[in-house]
Amino acid sequence: MSMQKTIETKLNAAFAPERLSVLNESHLHAGHHHTASGHHETFDGTGETHFRVRIVAPAFATMSRVERHRAVNTLLADELAGSVHALAIEPAAPGEKTRW
């Protein structure tokens, strides 16, 4: 299973979102240096290392912004400890404005 699909599956199971978009943004980071994190010396932009998660879920209604980020980071801790180098999170509760 691809990393993108793994992330989508975990988020769907944990939060039952009304809207979910997991975007692979690895190509936007070509040329960045990742030696400190164990990735390629100069990243070529391929693969599944950088993601953006846009999620609207009822579970976030009672959480602060920080709690929402922590919940997603905790859920995806194994992926972040592995091959995922960066994760941008845009969480919202139903009815909240989003930029997307």
Side-chain angles (χ1 to χ4, degrees), residues 69-78 80:
H69 281 258
R70 286 182 181 153
V72 172
N73 279 319
T74 298
L75 179 68
L76 301 177
D78 289 342
L80 290 165

Side-chain angles (χ1 to χ4, degrees), residues 47-61:
E48 295 184 298
T49 58
H50 296 70
F51 290 93
R52 179 172 304 275
V53 169
R54 293 176 169 161
I55 182 170
V56 176
F60 295 140

Side-chain angles (χ1 to χ4, degrees), residues 14-100:
F15 299 112
E18 291 181 0
R19 286 176 29 205
L20 175 63
S21 177
V22 178
L23 307 168
N24 182 348
E25 296 185 337
S26 302
H27 65 283
L28 300 174
H29 300 272
H32 292 188
H33 297 279
H34 292 180
T35 54
S37 62
H39 294 282
H40 307 269
E41 187 167 324
T42 300
F43 182 59
D44 63 5
T46 62
E48 295 184 298
T49 58
H50 296 70
F51 290 93
R52 179 172 304 275
V53 169
R54 293 176 169 161
I55 182 170
V56 176
F60 295 140
T62 60
M63 294 182 190
S64 70
R65 187 173 181 178
V66 171
E67 290 170 328
R68 295 171 185 184
H69 281 258
R70 286 182 181 153
V72 172
N73 279 319
T74 298
L75 179 68
L76 301 177
D78 289 342
E79 290 71 24
L80 290 165
S83 63
V84 175
H85 175 75
L87 182 67
I89 306 168
E90 298 179 27
E96 292 180 349
K97 286 188 174 184
T98 60
R99 299 182 315 186
W100 37 276

